[in-house]
């Protein structure tokens, strides 16, 4: 190298940081929010009672957010939350502290109790300020209030919203309006401050408390929404009586507490269709699905038949009025088909191809389940005139099964979304990835689900019983139909796995068995599609560690390639799914297995404050010792709340056949859930009490004189 020469600089490679991934919106989380609901209105807040302008917090009415912010401040500061608890149906109580007020001591001397009560079309709050201080307390109480009228589908998809301007108001009053919706907030003795740039509207109260004094402030909100498609029913639930409604006493106090909370939640989820307030049904769940859902509303009503038939008949009539009459690929409608979902307008999630019309029929199972609900309500003693009035709709539903449920003619009920904008999967596991092979591959439609064949088989047999009992033609045809379906099913669905034989989850487009072990096969129990030996094979697999190693029944075995404990349908645990299988096991005589799964739900109920969510994680029990929340699960949710009634019913084992004048008594053998007594059950409209003692002996009282109790071996 020459003197004075410089070596060339080494080449420098500049590594650019990777481009950020395209932003996508996330569905807001629910698991840590407190809900108070009286359908069609719901309040969702933090555990401190504050409703903040974020995520899914807000006061919702019939799929629209009425208030997006309700924030309490004392002298410009938020109080410090210390606890909350449910406060009856539609209510919640929150407790907080204002430690900067009162005596200068380590102990707080000023407490705030916020008692919230949601009613159909509104909400009220009492703000109780209690001082134990030795000196007077002076403060200004402020409520910051905003309204954005966001549709529920925008909130669900994490979309952006803009606060609406205050449209007017009077003394102590603020009003917002959008289209036909009007929201009015009024505070008793409050001073109202309309919203200004960058600030919410406000209600303000100056407060002075004497030493050890207290005061109560009151405010309420009313929502006027003439365009809503659902309203509150005209009458209270039939199980709400002067005697207080159904009550149970159980050795296991968890069951008692779960039952009581579930009844409160079921009362609060009752809805009616606008224009038909006499026919009640259950909205599916808070907040995403608080409307009419064919499958969900049917299953919930079916699970609640031990409390009476009125809800079942209302649900049947509402769905019958919207039964399909034409072929429409866009909505999935077909003659005789029962609908899936009802909204005020098209339901379209931002960033998703899903676009469901306001009345959507994309469900393969609601129609046979509608038939089974009509049959079961008849057996429980629904008025014969009401049952007879629905028989033309039964025949139309059978027409759908015969002409439209099997588009390729292979003899199985199947589905495919031909619109490209509807639900890709149309059974109860309706997420896009729900139907998977053992190795994790997704099945391609058309898909024939295993449980739907069971539903169709049972519906055909039950429809035959109804047609025959009411002197209408066709019973023989449908008994032959069910027998042929059973033969085809036995030839095509059963597969072998490492733990033995079991029915496949489905048949795919190429008629291959989708060989994953899932909870779906538990829905076959009690349908009659399986022989006794086949039921025993299924029962053994359902309580294997891979299926029952969590707190209930996993939707998919932990040994499957697609398993994930926090997948919506591929490894999580759904309370209603577990309860349906508990009922099937109980009826088939597998009491120990039924009790094992029920015990998992009772532990989960304790974890979730006895308000079972829509679903929760399917992790092993040893992972945390309690179930993991699924963060976007609805809570309360109709068929999850109904699970408590199903557990009680399975333990007691009352199986009425009112037209035949008898009720079979078949409790879980040996009372594996402990002693249990229930009052306020209903058979043929009569209030009935039933009990199982610690030895498993059952007794029943209050039956009409013409209905005789029988045990499996004959009359007691």
């Amino acid at each position: 190298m020459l003197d004075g020469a410089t070596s060339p600089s080494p080449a420098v490679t500049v590594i650019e940081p990777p481009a950020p991934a395209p932003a996508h919106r996330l569905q807001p989380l629910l698991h840590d929010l407190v809900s108070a609901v009286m359908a069609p209105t719901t309040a969702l807040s933090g555990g401190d009672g504050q409703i903040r302008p974020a995520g899914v917090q807000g006061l919702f009415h019939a799929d629209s957010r009425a208030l997006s912010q309700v924030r309490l401040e004392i002298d410009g500061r938020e109080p410090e939350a210390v606890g909350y608890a449910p406060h009856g149906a539609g209510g919640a109580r929150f407790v907080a502290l204002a430690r900067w007020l009162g005596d200068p001591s380590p102990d707080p001397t000023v407490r705030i109790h916020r008692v919230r009560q949601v009613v159909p079309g509104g909400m009220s709050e009492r703000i109780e300020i209690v001082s134990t201080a030795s000196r007077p307390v002076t403060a200004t109480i402020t409520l910051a209030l905003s309204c954005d009228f966001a549709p529920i589908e925008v909130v669900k998809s994490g979309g952006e919203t803009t606060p609406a301007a205050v449209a007017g108001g009077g003394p102590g009053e603020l009003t917002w309006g959008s289209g036909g919706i009007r929201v009015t907030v009024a505070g008793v003795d409050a001073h109202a401050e309309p919203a200004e740039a960058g600030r919410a509207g406000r209600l303000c109260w100056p407060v002075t408390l004497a030493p050890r004094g207290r005061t109560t402030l009151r405010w309420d909100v009313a929502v006027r929404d003439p365009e809503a498609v659902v309203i509150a029913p005209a009458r209270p639930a039939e199980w709400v009586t002067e005697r207080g409604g159904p009550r149970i006493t159980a050795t296991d106090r968890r069951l008692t507490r779960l039952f009581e909370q579930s009844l409160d939640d079921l009362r609060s989820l009752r809805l009616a269709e606008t224009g038909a307030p006499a026919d009640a049904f259950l909205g599916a769940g808070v907040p995403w699905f608080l409307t009419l859902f064919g499958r969900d509303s049917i299953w919930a009503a079916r699970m609640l038949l031990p409390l009476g038939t009125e809800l079942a008949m209302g649900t049947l009539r509402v769905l019958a009025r919207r039964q399909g009459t034409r072929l429409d690929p866009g909505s999935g409608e077909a003659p005789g088909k029962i609908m899936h979902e009802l909204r005020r307008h098209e339901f379209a999630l931002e960033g998703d191809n899903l676009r469901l019309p306001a009345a959507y029929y994309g469900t393969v199972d609601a129609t046979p389940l509608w038939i089974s609900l009509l049959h079961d309500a008849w057996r429980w003693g629904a008025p014969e005139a009401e049952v007879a009035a629905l028989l033309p709709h039964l025949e139309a539903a059978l027409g759908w099964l015969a002409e439209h449920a099997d588009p390729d003619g292979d003899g199985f009920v199947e589905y495919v979304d031909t619109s490209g904008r509807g639900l890709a999967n149309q059974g109860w596991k309706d997420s896009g990835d729900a139907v998977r092979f053992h190795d994790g591959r997704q099945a391609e439609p058309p898909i024939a689900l295993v449980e739907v064949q069971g539903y169709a088989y049972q519906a055909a047999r039950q429809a035959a019983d109804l047609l025959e009992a009411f002197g209408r033609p066709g019973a023989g045809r449908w008994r032959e139909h069910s027998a042929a379906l059973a033969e085809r099913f036995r030839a095509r669905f059963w597969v072998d796995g490492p733990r033995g034989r079991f029915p496949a989850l489905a048949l795919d487009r190429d008629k291959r068995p989708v060989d994953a072990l899932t909870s779906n096969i538990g829905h076959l129990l009690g349908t009659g599609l399986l022989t006794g030996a086949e039921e025993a094979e299924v029962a053994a697999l359902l309580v294997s560690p891979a299926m029952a190693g969590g707190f209930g029944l996993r939707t998919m075995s932990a040994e499957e390639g697609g398993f994930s404990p926090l997948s919506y349908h591929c490894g999580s645990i759904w309370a209603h799914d577990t309860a349906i299988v508990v009922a099937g096991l109980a009826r088939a005589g597998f009491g120990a297995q039924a009790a094992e799964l029920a015990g998992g739900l009772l532990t989960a109920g304790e974890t979730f404050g006895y308000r079972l969510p829509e679903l929760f994680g399917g992790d092993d029990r040893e992972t945390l010792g309690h179930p993991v929340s699924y963060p976007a699960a609805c809570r309360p949710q109709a068929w999850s709340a109904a699970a408590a009634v199903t557990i009680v019913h399975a333990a007691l084992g009352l199986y009425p056949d009112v037209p035949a004048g008898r009720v079979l008594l078949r409790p879980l053998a040996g009372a594996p859930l402990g002693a249990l007594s229930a009052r306020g059950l209903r058979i043929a409209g009569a209030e009935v009490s039933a009990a199982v003692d610690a030895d498993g002996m059952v007794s029943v009282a209050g039956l009409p004189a013409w209905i005789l109790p029988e045990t499996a071996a004959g009359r007691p």
Side-chain angles (χ1 to χ4, degrees), residues 549-632:
F551 296 90
L553 180 66
R554 290 183 174 119
T555 46
M556 177 177 282
S557 165
E559 297 174 347
E560 301 301 316
F563 173 78
S564 171
L566 280 180
S567 166
Y568 199 54
H569 289 128
C570 298
S572 59
I573 293 171
W574 288 62
H576 90 283
D577 184 35
T578 301
I580 289 169
V581 174
V582 165
L585 288 166
R587 187 145 199 173
F590 300 100
Q593 294 89 334
E596 180 178 343
L597 294 179
L601 283 189
L602 293 178
T603 302
E606 188 175 28
T607 297
F608 294 112
Y610 299 100
R611 174 178 273 176
L612 283 169
E614 177 186 17
L615 71 156
F616 48 88
D619 303 88
D620 284 331
R621 294 188 181 211
E622 293 75 18
T623 300
L624 287 177
H626 59 79
V628 175
S629 295
Y630 183 87

Side-chain angles (χ1 to χ4, degrees), residues 117-140:
Q117 186 65 50
V118 174
V119 297
M123 181 179 78
S124 63
E125 279 193 350
R126 299 195 320 269
I127 303 170
E128 302 170 352
I129 305 166
V130 182
S131 173
T132 57
S134 60
R135 62 179 67 183
V137 171
T138 300
T140 298

Side-chain angles (χ1 to χ4, degrees), residues 198-231:
R199 197 181 78 170
R202 294 173 182 267
L203 294 179
C204 303
W205 293 266
V207 169
T208 298
L209 300 181
R212 304 191 66 82
R214 65 172 58 211
T215 191
T216 299
L217 311 177
R218 292 177 173 84
W219 71 279
D220 59 71
V221 55
V223 183
R224 179 182 176 274
D225 184 6
E227 298 174 1
V229 295
V230 290
I231 57 173

Side-chain angles (χ1 to χ4, degrees), residues 5 27 169 175 334 344 441 463 552 605 714:
Q27 181 174 324
T175 302
R344 73 166 71 211
R441 290 176 297 120

